[in-house]
Amino acid sequence: MSSPLQEIKFWENPEREGWLMEQGKWIKTWRRRWFVMKDGTIFWFKTDNIVEKSVTRGRIEISQCLAVKGAEEAINKPFAFEITTKEKSALAFLPADKTMYFVADNEKDKEDWINSIGRAIVRRSTSMQDHEVLSY
């Protein structure tokens, strides 16, 4: 289970960190950001000089991730990958998955991010199953 955001010390010993390009939420331009994965959350920042008071530019909770995979053909960019997350729909009965795209600097970085995120998704889903209680 991920810690509350304010308790995650993203500036200390990240599980993974590095530069990626991400597409802006409103204006669909590509921006280079420093990404940090720590305690079940992926954060991104404008700079790689991360300290306790650094302001995040975005975050993804691993517990909300459904899949991570290569996406070069989907967006026609080399070293691209996508993360699909569960989203809350205005209509509770409709699925509302969201796909976000990222671009690494090279194939190795892309594969390392995909593998790290994939392992974290599996760890989180296994952890959730271990703690599930079925009620009828």
Side-chain angles (χ1 to χ4, degrees):
M1 181 81 49
S2 63
S3 306
L5 181 59
Q6 63 272 18
E7 292 179 20
I8 298 175
K9 296 179 180 179
F10 53 75
W11 61 94
E12 290 181 356
N13 305 313
E15 296 158 31
R16 175 143 200 76
E17 63 184 342
W19 290 106
L20 294 172
M21 298 287 286
E22 61 96 14
Q23 201 171 35
K25 188 173 184 179
W26 309 110
I27 300 172
K28 299 296 182 185
T29 56
W30 289 92
R31 297 181 180 104
R32 190 166 168 83
R33 299 288 188 230
W34 185 254
F35 281 73
V36 171
M37 188 167 80
K38 175 83 183 260
D39 294 344
T41 305
I42 301 168
F43 304 92
W44 54 98
F45 307 86
K46 281 189 173 182
T47 177
D48 62 349
N49 183 22
I50 305 303
V51 295
E52 185 173 355
K53 298 204 182 291
S54 293
V55 176
T56 62
R57 303 300 297 171
R59 76 172 192 268
I60 300 170
E61 299 290 332
I62 298 289
S63 63
Q64 298 303 302
C65 291
L66 300 171
V68 59
K69 65 182 181 178
E72 288 94 342
E73 292 181 15
I75 63 171
N76 199 26
K77 286 191 175 291
F79 319 127
F81 64 96
E82 65 184 57
I83 300 173
T84 304
T85 59
K86 295 180 271 188
E87 294 289 315
K88 292 184 179 161
S89 170
L91 302 171
F93 56 88
L94 293 177
D97 299 344
K98 177 180 174 184
T99 299
M100 293 175 283
Y101 296 98
F102 305 90
V103 179
D105 288 343
N106 54 57
E107 185 67 20
K108 182 183 182 322
D109 286 350
K110 179 193 95 168
E111 290 300 324
D112 287 349
W113 276 104
I114 289 172
N115 290 334
S116 294
I117 296 166
R119 282 192 302 271
I121 291 170
V122 169
R123 276 195 311 269
R124 296 288 164 189
S125 71
T126 301
S127 174
M128 294 297 287
Q129 288 172 359
D130 290 346
H131 295 96
E132 268 183 356
V133 176
L134 298 177
S135 59
Y136 295 94

